[in-house]
Amino acid sequence: MGAQLVWFKRDLRAHDHAGLAAAASSGGPVLCLYIVEPWLWAQPDYSGRHYAFLTETLADLDRALRARGGTLTVRTGEAVAVLDALHRQTPIDAIHAHEETGLIATWERDRAVAQWARRHSIAFIEHRQNGVIRALPSRNGWAKRWEAFMSQPVIPAPARFQDAGAPSEPIPAPEALGLAPDPCPGRQTGGRRQAVADLESFLFARGRDYRRAMSSPVSAFDACSRLSAHLALGAISVREAYQGAGRALTAHRAAGEVGFARSVESFISRLHWHCHFMQKFEDEPELATRDLHPAYRGARPEADPDTLKRWIEGRTGLPFLDACMRALDHTGWLNFRMRAMAAAFSSYHLWQDWKRPAQALARRFTDFEPGIHYPQFQMQSGVTGVNTPRIYNPVKQSMDQDPDGVFIARWVPELAALPAPFRHQPWTAPQGVLEAAGVQLGVTYTDRIVDHEQAAREAKAKLTALRRSAGHGPASDAIQARHGSRKSGLKQTGSATRRRKAKAAPDPAQGSLF
C-alpha cells in the first residue's frame, strides 16, 4: 500500500481537517507534508513577519502530529518537483489537500500538481475547509449553504495514524528565501495552541465590549478576537470558531449577559463576512491585480514611490493615520476601521492606484488573507462600482476614536508633549504652544502630505464623474449579480442603491470585518 499524502498549505491543524482524517482512516501510512515554496515568498505580498508566524505554526502542527504517531515532513522547492521526488522514495496513492482560495500563482501551482497526479495515476483530493464554495454557479442560496457547512460537526483529530517515515529537511532561514529583515516586536505568536487560547479568551472575557470597542485602536487590540492571523494559516478552522461562538452565545444568554451575547452575535456575523469576501476572490482571483469595475481601470496613476513610502511608514503629517501605520509596523495588526481608513487615504486623498499600496499593507499584516485583503482594498478604494465610496476624514476619526490623543502620544511620540486637542491637527496649534511642546512642524514632525479636506473634495469630484460615465451602471449591475451578498438582512447595493433618493447608509460590509 502506498502512502496517503496530506499536503498542508493554509490548513495547518490536526483538528477539523478533512484531508488528514481521510488519510488516517485509510489505515495505511500517512505522509504529512509542508512545502516551503521560494516562488511564493518572492511575491510582493509576503514578508518576513509572515514567515516567522508560519514557522511557529508549523512547529505547533508538528507537535500535534507527533502526539498522534506522525510527523511533519518539510521540503523546499517547487511543489511538483518535491512531490515527484517524494513519490520516487515513498510511492503515493493519494494526495489530500484543501481547496485553497489564493493568488493566481497558487491556482496555477495547484493545476500543475493536479496534472502531475493524473500522469502518475495518483488521486488528488481537494477538501473544502470553510464557507467558500468552489465553482459556484450563482450566489443564490450561498448563505444557507454557509450555515449548513458551519453547523456540521467538527472533525476530530485522528487519535493515531501510521507515519510514512519520510525524513524532513530544515526549514530555510528567511534570508535564504530572499526575505528582508522584518522586525515586528509586537507580533502575535503563531500556532494552534495560541489560536485556541485567543478564541477562548475572546469569547469568555476579552470580547465583552467587542461591539463598542472594535472601532478604536485604543481598545481594539484587546477587545477584538485576534483570530485573523490564525484563520489565515488555518491553525483553527472557521467552523471551530463559529461553533465555539455558538456555545459562548448560549452561555451568555443563559447568564443574562445581554451585552456580551450581542458582541458574540457580531463576531458570528463577521465570520460570515469573512467567507463572503473570500468567495468573491475564489470566483475572481484577478481581483488582486485588476479593478473590479472597468470604469476605474487607469483612473489613478501608479503609486508614487516617495508618497507610498511616507504613507506606509507613518510620515504623512496626519497624526492619527501616522499612529495607525506605526502601530501596524510594530504589531502586524490593526483593527478594521483603521485598515479601511489607511487604504482609503491612499486611494482618495493621495489618489494613488490601489495595487502597490495594497501589496505594501499586505506585507505589514501578519494576518494577510488574499481572499479578504484584495476585495476589501478594492471596496475601500471605491473601484467596485457597487459600494458607496467612503472617504474617511483622518482628523475626524482621530477625534472620534482617540479623543484624548493617547494612541497618538504612544505611536507619534514627537507630538506627545502637545496638549491633547492639538495632537489631532498640530498645524492648528498656536506657535507658542508648539514651541512649549518642542514641536517644530517640518522639522521634528513632518508637514502634512496633503490638505486632507481639499484632497477629499477633489477625490469626491473625480469619483462622481466616473460614476456618471457611460456604461457605469450596467457594469455595476453585472458585478452585483455576480458577487453581491444574498444573505437576508444585509444591505444590497447596485441599481437599487442608485435609485434610492435618501442618502445611503454605510454599507455594513464596510463597517468592520475583524
Side-chain angles (χ1 to χ4, degrees):
M1 176 181 287
Q4 300 283 311
L5 187 146
V6 182
W7 178 19
F8 289 93
K9 294 188 286 184
R10 293 197 293 130
D11 50 345
L12 306 182
R13 62 184 182 276
H15 295 75
D16 203 25
H17 195 292
L20 179 61
S25 66
S26 72
V30 178
L31 199 169
C32 297
L33 174 69
Y34 183 84
I35 305 174
V36 178
E37 299 167 285
W39 65 266
L40 178 67
W41 295 101
Q43 299 296 308
D45 325 77
Y46 286 96
S47 63
R49 65 187 60 191
H50 297 142
Y51 194 67
F53 191 83
L54 167 71
T55 57
E56 292 165 358
T57 306
L58 289 176
D60 218 18
L61 174 61
D62 184 48
R63 282 190 287 269
L65 295 175
R66 287 178 184 275
R68 292 162 175 80
T71 186
L72 182 64
T73 298
V74 177
R75 296 291 172 92
T76 300
E78 299 283 340
V80 168
V82 168
L83 291 168
D84 198 59
L86 281 171
H87 185 50
R88 288 196 297 272
Q89 298 165 2
T90 305
I92 300 168
D93 281 354
I95 299 172
H96 298 270
H98 74 94
E99 292 178 341
E100 181 174 359
T101 299
L103 303 168
I104 290 176
T106 64
W107 281 91
E108 293 172 347
R109 181 267 320 272
D110 289 353
R111 278 197 286 266
V113 168
Q115 291 170 359
W116 173 85
R118 278 196 296 273
R119 286 199 301 272
H120 292 81
S121 301
I122 296 171
F124 182 41
I125 307 162
E126 293 180 280
H127 301 265
R128 182 180 170 191
Q129 74 156 346
N130 55 32
V132 176
I133 301 170
R134 178 150 292 181
L136 185 68
S138 166
R139 271 300 187 101
N140 293 334
W142 181 83
K144 288 185 177 179
R145 295 173 71 177
W146 185 92
E147 294 282 353
F149 182 83
M150 294 302 161
S151 299
Q152 292 173 4
V154 167
I155 302 169
R160 300 287 296 178
F161 60 86
Q162 179 186 348
D163 185 42
S168 186
E169 297 173 349
I171 296 177
E175 53 269 24
L177 299 170
L179 290 168
D182 184 22
C184 187
R187 178 179 61 76
Q188 290 175 255
T189 301
R192 178 177 174 81
R193 290 178 298 183
Q194 187 62 50
V196 172
D198 287 346
L199 178 64
E200 290 296 307
S201 67
F202 170 73
L203 291 176
F204 294 99
R206 294 185 296 107
R208 178 179 296 279
D209 295 326
Y210 175 62
R211 280 164 61 95
R212 179 190 60 79
M214 71 171 79
S215 294
S216 170
V218 177
S219 51
F221 280 86
D222 290 327
C224 288
S225 73
R226 310 302 306 275
L227 282 183
S228 52
H230 301 302
L231 289 172
L233 283 187
I236 192 169
S237 72
V238 179
R239 181 160 55 191
E240 288 179 286
Y242 173 79
Q243 296 192 9
R247 290 190 291 272
L249 184 61
T250 299
H252 295 321
R253 285 174 173 166
E257 295 269 14
V258 177
F260 210 151
R262 287 178 178 168
S263 284
V264 175
E265 288 172 346
S266 295
F267 173 68
I268 292 172
S269 174
R270 279 147 186 84
L271 292 177
H272 173 98
W273 285 113
H274 175 105
C275 295
H276 166 76
F277 281 96
M278 289 184 67
Q279 183 69 57
K280 292 185 182 189
F281 204 64
E282 170 77 18
D283 297 339
E284 196 167 351
E286 294 82 5
L287 288 174
T289 56
R290 187 182 66 193
D291 300 69
L292 180 58
H293 196 295
Y296 301 90
R297 294 169 192 164
R300 294 178 171 96
E302 186 171 324
D304 170 68
D306 292 336
T307 301
L308 179 61
K309 187 175 175 62
R310 286 187 63 178
W311 169 76
I312 195 68
E313 292 181 351
R315 296 185 294 108
T316 68
L318 278 303
F320 187 58
L321 174 63
D322 289 348
C324 288
M325 302 304 262
R326 296 181 193 186
L328 169 61
D329 185 43
H330 183 86
T331 66
W333 188 85
L334 203 57
N335 59 315
F336 178 82
R337 182 181 289 270
M338 300 305 99
R339 296 179 189 223
M341 179 186 71
F345 190 86
S346 72
S347 294
Y348 297 128
H349 299 84
L350 302 179
W351 201 249
Q352 308 284 296
D353 183 84
W354 58 270
K355 300 177 190 67
R356 290 191 185 280
Q359 291 172 346
L361 272 188
R363 291 193 292 274
R364 288 282 201 272
F365 292 149
T366 306
D367 58 10
F368 170 52
E369 166 57 72
I372 296 175
H373 182 71
Y374 285 110
Q376 268 290 332
F377 213 107
Q378 292 218 21
M379 177 184 292
Q380 303 304 337
S381 299
V383 299
T384 67
V386 296
N387 304 102
T388 306
R390 187 169 188 179
I391 303 179
Y392 290 81
N393 181 328
V395 173
K396 183 179 185 304
Q397 289 297 313
S398 182
M399 293 176 173
D400 290 347
Q401 308 300 337
D402 184 27
D404 298 326
V406 294
F407 186 72
I408 293 174
R410 178 180 179 188
W411 295 107
V412 188
E414 54 267 48
L415 299 180
L418 269 180
F422 295 117
R423 291 178 199 159
H424 304 292
Q425 39 187 348
W427 55 89
T428 65
Q431 187 59 34
V433 173
L434 291 171
E435 290 176 0
V439 176
Q440 191 174 358
L441 296 179
V443 179
T444 62
Y445 182 61
T446 186
D447 282 321
R448 279 186 295 173
I449 194 170
V450 293
D451 178 327
H452 64 284
E453 292 179 333
Q454 177 63 28
R457 284 193 291 272
E458 293 174 0
K460 187 175 181 180
K462 292 173 183 173
L463 283 175
T464 299
L466 286 167
R467 292 174 78 86
R468 290 176 177 171
S469 61
H472 188 282
S476 296
D477 290 341
I479 291 167
Q480 178 63 40
R482 182 175 186 184
H483 292 297
S485 169
R486 309 293 199 274
K487 183 175 174 60
S488 175
L490 294 179
K491 178 188 173 188
Q492 298 295 299
T493 54
S495 58
T497 298
R498 294 197 304 279
R499 287 194 295 271
R500 192 172 300 148
K501 293 181 180 179
K503 183 179 179 181
D507 189 333
Q510 293 204 46
S512 52
L513 186 62
F514 301 103

